[in-house]
Amino acid sequence: MWGPRKQGQRTVTCIACGTAVNRSDAREYDKYGDRWDRDGKEFEHLCKDCYRGLCHQPRAELEGLLVEINAGHHPQDEFLSWYCALVDERYGSLSEHERER
């Protein structure tokens, strides 16, 4: 009979705050929002404090949009301009949604 697997004290880095923590003290983060489909994936990690601070509501395509416009690789003003234009194009402007209320 096999005994329980003994995991080493592997250290991971929190993608939000940069803190190095033991893997056992971290939470997996899948930028595509599907951490249950594990085939061929390498997960990023969050420390427990940063994980608690996340909004756990459905993100409905948010991560895909961020990847599509290369979030984190452009100046903030350029990124926000692209992001707003893409959201308006795909989902309509915020003012359109406010009129519907």
Side-chain angles (χ1 to χ4, degrees):
M1 175 175 210
W2 294 98
R5 282 186 3 190
K6 191 170 189 169
Q7 292 185 347
Q9 291 294 321
R10 192 174 124 210
T11 301
V12 295
T13 302
C14 175
I15 60 172
C17 69
T19 302
V21 296
N22 288 333
R23 170 62 190 93
S24 61
D25 293 329
R27 296 289 179 255
E28 290 179 343
Y29 177 76
D30 178 10
K31 65 183 174 182
Y32 298 104
D34 182 13
R35 68 186 185 113
W36 305 110
D37 180 13
R38 305 180 74 75
D39 291 338
K41 288 186 178 177
E42 284 191 30
F43 291 91
E44 296 172 303
H45 296 87
L46 293 163
C47 67
K48 289 181 181 178
D49 286 340
C50 289
Y51 180 79
R52 279 187 218 106
L54 287 178
C55 173
H56 295 280
Q57 299 298 316
R59 357 186 236 268
E61 303 177 20
L62 173 61
E63 297 291 343
L65 289 173
L66 296 176
V67 169
E68 186 175 334
I69 58 176
N70 293 318
H73 298 281
H74 301 284
Q76 185 175 5
D77 57 340
E78 189 176 322
F79 159 75
L80 290 173
S81 176
W82 289 346
Y83 177 79
C84 291
L86 185 58
V87 168
D88 285 352
E89 176 185 311
R90 291 191 183 169
Y91 305 105
S93 69
L94 181 58
S95 60
E96 290 174 17
H97 292 286
E98 288 174 345
R99 285 193 300 259
E100 292 173 1
R101 290 185 185 175

